Amino acid sequence: MGEITILGAGAMGSALATPLSRNGHRVRLWGTHLDDARLDALSSGAPHPGTGVRSPEGVSWFRDTELEAALDGTDAVIIAVSSPGVHDTAARAAARIGDIPIMLASKGFHRRADGTITLMPEAVREALGQPERRIVAIGGPCKADEVAAGRITSTLYASHDREEAVRAAALLATDDYRVEVSDDETGLEICAPLKNVYAIALGYADGLQQRTGQPWHNLKSALFARAVGEMSVLSELTGGRTETAFGLAGVGDLEVTGLSGRNKVFGSRLGTGETVPQARAAMDAAGLTVEGIAACGLGAEFADQAGASPNRVPLLHAIRRVLDDAGSDPHTEFSTALTP
Amino acid sequence: MGEITILGAGAMGSALATPLSRNGHRVRLWGTHLDDARLDALSSGAPHPGTGVRSPEGVSWFRDTELEAALDGTDAVIIAVSSPGVHDTAARAAARIGDIPIMLASKGFHRRADGTITLMPEAVREALGQPERRIVAIGGPCKADEVAAGRITSTLYASHDREEAVRAAALLATDDYRVEVSDDETGLEICAPLKNVYAIALGYADGLQQRTGQPWHNLKSALFARAVGEMSVLSELTGGRTETAFGLAGVGDLEVTGLSGRNKVFGSRLGTGETVPQARAAMDAAGLTVEGIAACGLGAEFADQAGASPNRVPLLHAIRRVLDDAGSDPHTEFSTALTP
């Protein structure tokens, strides 16, 4: 039992209070200024707008300006801010974090000031000025509202130092929030943002079904298998292992992302016949950020940086062309990417 | 261009006429006496009751008693009868088949007269009395109605003799019916019936959603990843390769089977709170055979036969207990099987 600080009061940050609280920890939930309305809700006893779940017992709330207090004397930190905010939040927290164990729930690719791209734990290490820092990455099929509500979830915690992941798992694991452990931090971090990219193609098949009134399940499943294969290729090329893509972090997380969520919804709009600008405008109007769009460009660039020739990841490049080239046809692009 | 004989006029048998016909082959579609109504429909120009699609140009129809004529002078045979009929059909056809290339679309485990269990191509070899017979197994995410309608499909053709699979692929592959090729016949044949078993657990999560009005996507995705892992274990233990479970034959086929179909529907009934006898009675009343039920018992026995200890395939054994033991609780069984 200890004090655990969660940085970021979005859906995932607030959701992790559920298993922590169930294990008897006291939780400090810190939000950026973007989280003010969420913290207002939670601290007044109302449900979190993103999960529909109230803060469990033993949670206290901290505002943007209270970062030092949120970290002071805490036993572990979970970073769960939105991915563009990870580097800055870690830099702000650096002096107080010191050698406190860090778990990282935020996912994405990070573009450095010099233009190169790296994975999220590396961004944290650079922001902290601790190049050898142990960090535990959190991945796997994990919708925040279901975690918050205590419905069964299996996640993967991965760290270059496997024992660090074992210790982190011990803090959070419950009967309903199951944690597998791995040393393949890189593989997990590759799969996490890429599944959002591939979910766009899966959504496309769902949209075709809406448009035609007929299932396109064979197409969706073929795209699914191709996506898993490409995640395994990219994992291996960037220093991770293929098997991570075949477990919770790849197959599992792609499954959950293809069942629902913004990336899938965006893709399904393309399947119904909307153009990319039309679909983007509709998502923007609904206030929904489609993470897979930014992750696609960054991911393809990261793949290039890692030396992945385009013919080893044809679906990733097909999605990039669909998003970037007004003249490309999704149907042709996606079906061509399936060529054996 | 040649003459191709399809044995079995069910949904899958009749559907394969679409790519064959598109490639200019003349198709002979032979049905058992169970297929009489289907052949009546097709030969009168009506759609197949199982796929909703009419026979394309260049198809002729043969009744149960016309097996010799259906095979006489043909260039290749596709076996697509229901799995309990495979051995007998192959035995009946043996004298005419000789060394004509065989593709096998029927899937399942086969119990020999001596009580042991084997995979479907082996059952065909034994029925033909040709122990070294080359056979091309057809797998992957392939709903028959979508193949019949010409919607995009990616399949896997696998044979111990890879070149035999390449030749078979050349007969059927079109832009819409894509064919990957492998020499892992065993891996494909393990995944094909087991995906029906695991789809019962996936359906269970869907049924929980119906019952509770809340998504259980994390659970479905965790079960999905676990199922893929177990198919890879069983593939390897029986002489196949793990990677086959991670491609079209495993991941892809499980995805399509978890999206729709009888096994998923049966599982979802358990999720809504029906007992196994209630759910079976409802499926029986609708005339729907749940292939995963028989495949579960046979698959678990085959796993034992191969020396797979139960703790390497906990979900398979959990499903077996749910189906066989009236006292077992699916929720407890499935969530326990996810224990890391």
Side-chain angles (χ1 to χ4, degrees):
Chain A
M1 316 315 124
E3 299 274 342
I4 314 287
T5 300
I6 300 170
L7 300 181
M12 185 55 76
S14 68
L16 290 171
T18 294
L20 285 167
S21 173
R22 201 152 295 178
N23 283 342
H25 302 296
R26 286 181 302 280
V27 175
R28 305 175 186 179
L29 183 61
W30 173 85
T32 71
H33 63 92
L34 296 171
D35 293 322
D36 281 346
R38 294 160 180 151
L39 292 174
D40 287 345
L42 291 173
S43 58
S44 70
H48 189 284
T51 67
V53 174
R54 293 178 175 77
S55 277
E57 288 294 301
V59 176
S60 53
W61 307 275
F62 294 80
R63 302 290 167 154
D64 196 317
T65 54
E66 301 170 310
L67 181 58
E68 294 199 359
L71 291 167
D72 190 44
T74 199
D75 298 306
V77 175
I78 299 176
I79 300 177
V81 295
S82 69
S83 53
V86 168
H87 186 275
D88 287 355
T89 300
R92 280 179 66 191
R96 289 274 164 175
I97 283 186
D99 59 359
I100 299 170
I102 297 178
M103 290 159 270
L104 179 60
S106 311
K107 291 289 162 276
F109 296 103
H110 173 68
R111 190 187 291 281
R112 296 188 181 98
D114 70 2
T116 58
I117 296 167
T118 190
L119 299 176
M120 217 36 98
E122 206 53 30
V124 173
R125 291 185 181 99
E126 293 173 8
L128 295 175
Q130 300 182 31
E132 303 297 320
R133 185 50 143 98
R134 283 190 294 244
I135 290 173
V136 178
I138 299 180
C142 193
K143 278 178 58 196
D145 56 334
E146 300 190 21
V147 173
R151 295 205 282 284
I152 299 169
T153 299
S154 288
T155 63
L156 181 69
Y157 282 27
S159 178
H160 294 321
D161 176 358
R162 192 178 184 283
E163 288 309 307
E164 186 82 353
V166 170
R167 286 187 289 272
L171 292 175
L172 280 98
T174 70
D175 278 355
D176 295 321
Y177 181 81
R178 289 149 191 274
V179 183
E180 295 189 8
V181 162
S182 160
D183 65 359
D184 190 11
E185 182 184 311
T186 302
L188 182 152
E189 287 292 335
I190 280 287
C191 292
L194 285 174
K195 59 111 192 324
N196 289 326
V197 181
Y198 291 114
I200 295 172
L202 302 185
Y204 176 80
D206 292 337
L208 276 182
Q209 179 163 351
Q210 287 173 49
R211 183 167 70 182
T212 63
Q214 302 286 346
W216 289 74
H217 292 173
N218 290 357
L219 173 63
K220 186 174 186 181
S221 302
L223 291 167
F224 191 101
R226 170 68 68 173
V228 168
E230 293 193 6
M231 289 193 289
S232 80
V233 165
L234 289 165
S235 176
E236 190 167 36
L237 281 172
T238 54
R241 290 200 301 275
T242 58
E243 70 194 59
T244 301
F246 302 139
L248 287 170
V251 164
D253 205 0
L254 185 63
E255 172 71 7
V256 87
T257 312
L259 285 170
S260 63
R262 299 163 179 201
N263 299 287
K264 170 208 147 83
V265 168
F266 171 75
S268 71
R269 287 183 167 273
L270 303 182
T272 63
E274 290 184 15
T275 64
V276 169
Q278 287 169 334
R280 290 187 74 146
M283 299 300 286
D284 286 348
L288 299 173
T289 304
V290 181
E291 294 179 312
I293 295 175
C296 182
L298 293 166
E301 205 175 321
F302 191 68
D304 290 346
Q305 199 177 294
S309 78
N311 64 14
R312 296 204 60 194
V313 286
L315 183 54
L316 178 62
H317 286 273
I319 298 168
R320 180 160 71 163
R321 283 191 297 273
V322 166
L323 295 176
D324 293 351
D325 303 345
S328 79
D329 169 52
H331 203 81
T332 307
E333 289 289 354
F334 295 158
S335 67
T336 304
L338 295 174
T339 302
Chain B
M1 317 314 125
E3 300 273 342
I4 314 287
T5 300
I6 300 170
L7 301 181
M12 184 55 75
S14 68
L16 291 172
T18 294
L20 285 167
S21 173
R22 200 151 295 177
N23 284 342
H25 302 295
R26 286 180 303 280
V27 175
R28 306 175 186 180
L29 182 62
W30 173 84
T32 71
H33 64 93
L34 297 171
D35 294 321
D36 282 344
R38 295 160 178 151
L39 292 174
D40 287 344
L42 291 173
S43 58
S44 70
H48 188 284
T51 67
V53 174
R54 293 179 175 77
S55 277
E57 289 294 301
V59 175
S60 52
W61 306 276
F62 294 78
R63 303 290 168 152
D64 196 318
T65 54
E66 300 170 311
L67 181 58
E68 295 201 357
L71 291 168
D72 190 44
T74 198
D75 297 305
V77 176
I78 299 175
I79 300 177
V81 294
S82 67
S83 53
V86 168
H87 186 276
D88 287 355
T89 300
R92 279 180 66 191
R96 289 274 165 174
I97 282 186
D99 60 359
I100 299 170
I102 297 178
M103 289 159 271
L104 178 60
S106 311
K107 291 290 162 273
F109 296 102
H110 172 69
R111 190 187 291 280
R112 297 188 182 98
D114 70 2
T116 59
I117 296 168
T118 190
L119 299 175
M120 216 37 97
E122 206 52 32
V124 172
R125 290 184 182 100
E126 293 173 9
L128 294 175
Q130 300 182 31
E132 303 297 321
R133 184 51 141 101
R134 284 191 295 244
I135 290 173
V136 178
I138 300 180
C142 193
K143 277 177 59 195
D145 56 335
E146 300 190 21
V147 172
R151 294 205 283 284
I152 299 169
T153 299
S154 287
T155 63
L156 181 69
Y157 283 27
S159 177
H160 294 320
D161 177 358
R162 193 178 184 282
E163 288 309 308
E164 185 83 352
V166 169
R167 286 188 288 273
L171 293 174
L172 279 98
T174 70
D175 279 354
D176 295 321
Y177 181 81
R178 289 148 193 274
V179 183
E180 295 189 9
V181 163
S182 160
D183 65 358
D184 190 11
E185 181 184 311
T186 303
L188 182 152
E189 288 291 335
I190 280 287
C191 291
L194 285 174
K195 59 111 193 323
N196 289 327
V197 180
Y198 291 114
I200 295 173
L202 302 185
Y204 176 80
D206 292 338
L208 275 183
Q209 179 162 350
Q210 289 174 47
R211 183 166 70 180
T212 63
Q214 302 286 346
W216 289 73
H217 292 173
N218 290 357
L219 174 62
K220 185 174 187 181
S221 302
L223 291 167
F224 191 101
R226 169 69 67 175
V228 169
E230 293 193 6
M231 289 194 289
S232 80
V233 165
L234 289 165
S235 175
E236 190 168 35
L237 281 173
T238 54
R241 290 199 302 274
T242 59
E243 70 194 61
T244 301
F246 301 140
L248 287 170
V251 164
D253 205 0
L254 185 63
E255 172 71 6
V256 87
T257 312
L259 285 170
S260 62
R262 300 163 180 202
N263 299 287
K264 169 206 147 83
V265 169
F266 171 75
S268 71
R269 287 183 167 274
L270 302 183
T272 63
E274 291 185 15
T275 64
V276 169
Q278 286 169 336
R280 291 188 72 147
M283 299 301 287
D284 287 347
L288 299 173
T289 304
V290 181
E291 293 179 314
I293 296 176
C296 183
L298 292 167
E301 204 176 322
F302 191 68
D304 290 346
Q305 199 177 294
S309 78
N311 64 13
R312 296 204 61 193
V313 285
L315 184 53
L316 178 62
H317 286 274
I319 298 168
R320 181 161 67 162
R321 283 190 297 273
V322 166
L323 295 176
D324 292 351
D325 303 347
S328 79
D329 169 52
H331 202 81
T332 306
E333 288 288 354
F334 295 158
S335 67
T336 304
L338 295 174
T339 302

